Amino acid sequence: DADVTQTPRNRITKTGKRIMLECSQTKGHDRMYWYRQDPGLGLQLIYYSFDVKDINKGEISDGYSVSRQAQAKFSLSLESAIPNQTALYFCATSGSGGPSYNEQFFGPGTRLTVL
Amino acid sequence: RKEVEQDPGPFNVPEGATVAFNCTYSNSASQSFFWYRQDCRKEPKLLMSVYSSGNEDGRFTAQLNRASQYISLLIRDSKLSDSATYLCVVNFVAGGTSYGKLTFGQGTILTVHP
């Protein structure tokens, strides 16, 4: 079984709809992240969380919100989706100590299309 | 100026070739450096960390030049399976503490052909 899972894997929705993307991990990591990837722009950090009570904005948080329901779960919401939020979304996790704490492990991604 | 910049390519090379990718970063307080690999429509995966002394893992060699704020990745004896996007990744330090936030370059596309 995958260590970091994302649901749904693909979603097509309409402008103005509320969308939630879910992420779960079994790695026991404290830190979780949401990124979006657009062609030619690389990965951009949306939000990150270093533990259950910690939520931080990333580079491009406008139009998004997150919830860290438990250590293993981190969800991303688009309150009112717009077409320029069409992208590939990745969840990632990392540990908080030890020599490899900077390594991030990614989920398989969610391809979101907003019409 | 982007915080992490890479030549997007694409690099098209024959099997067996040696290819090198470069990356520059803007924040001199950067602490940790990595190369990730991303296959088409897949998630990024760590290829190797980059250490100040340089490091090698099989056919892959990574170098760091802190003075020039420059990172490189060398792939020797390219295989068809090396075809992917290679992401240069940097961990910036803020306030003397590393927060574990990574900044990704836009990636360099490599295609290895028979």
Side-chain angles (χ1 to χ4, degrees):
Chain A
D1 287 342
D3 295 320
V4 185
T5 57
Q6 292 182 232
T7 56
R9 295 293 313 279
N10 289 283
R11 181 71 185 270
I12 299 173
T13 191
K14 295 182 179 180
T15 297
K17 293 292 187 181
R18 183 177 188 273
I19 297 297
M20 180 179 286
L21 309 183
E22 307 270 10
C23 177
S24 293
Q25 52 112 348
T26 59
K27 299 189 75 67
H29 286 164
D30 291 324
R31 299 180 175 188
M32 298 187 74
Y33 310 81
W34 275 105
Y35 294 91
R36 68 176 278 175
Q37 187 174 38
D38 299 276
L41 291 181
L43 285 153
Q44 295 174 278
L45 183 63
I46 306 172
Y47 271 97
Y48 63 101
S49 169
F50 282 174
D51 64 42
V52 175
K53 298 178 182 178
D54 177 72
I55 299 289
N56 303 282
K57 293 183 177 181
E59 308 165 78
I60 54 162
S61 58
D62 288 348
Y64 301 95
S65 62
V66 291
S67 174
R68 185 80 184 268
Q69 303 95 319
Q71 187 204 37
K73 296 184 182 295
F74 193 35
S75 59
L76 176 72
S77 294
L78 287 68
E79 297 301 325
S80 179
I82 55 177
N84 75 2
Q85 291 178 312
T86 294
L88 184 56
Y89 289 85
F90 287 107
C91 173
T93 75
S94 68
S96 55
S100 60
Y101 78 98
N102 277 309
E103 179 180 358
Q104 292 189 7
F105 298 84
F106 286 80
T110 295
R111 187 165 296 279
L112 177 66
T113 302
V114 184
L115 302 176
Chain B
R1 182 185 173 188
K2 292 181 182 177
E3 293 180 352
V4 180
E5 291 203 66
Q6 298 180 245
D7 179 348
F11 286 68
N12 294 296
V13 303
E15 275 187 288
T18 295
V19 61
F21 306 138
N22 299 321
C23 169
T24 57
Y25 59 94
S26 60
N27 189 333
S28 60
S30 300
Q31 184 184 63
S32 307
F33 309 89
F34 311 89
W35 285 100
Y36 276 67
R37 170 192 168 128
Q38 185 175 22
D39 293 307
C40 187
R41 298 177 179 270
K42 301 282 189 178
E43 70 273 24
K45 293 184 179 179
L46 180 67
L47 177 66
M48 60 196 301
S49 300
V50 186
Y51 302 120
S52 296
S53 55
N55 49 300
E56 187 174 309
D57 182 2
R59 298 181 293 108
F60 298 84
T61 301
Q63 297 278 353
L64 168 64
N65 184 322
R66 286 188 182 270
S68 302
Q69 296 180 202
Y70 163 102
I71 306 157
S72 65
L73 177 68
L74 183 76
I75 306 175
R76 291 182 300 277
D77 189 22
S78 298
K79 311 292 185 189
L80 296 176
S81 58
D82 294 334
S83 297
T85 298
Y86 291 83
L87 304 171
C88 175
V89 184
V90 176
N91 176 29
F92 293 109
V93 174
T97 302
S98 170
Y99 292 106
K101 287 170 52 185
L102 301 182
T103 299
F104 290 76
Q106 76 270 41
T108 297
I109 299 170
L110 172 66
T111 301
V112 181
H113 57 82

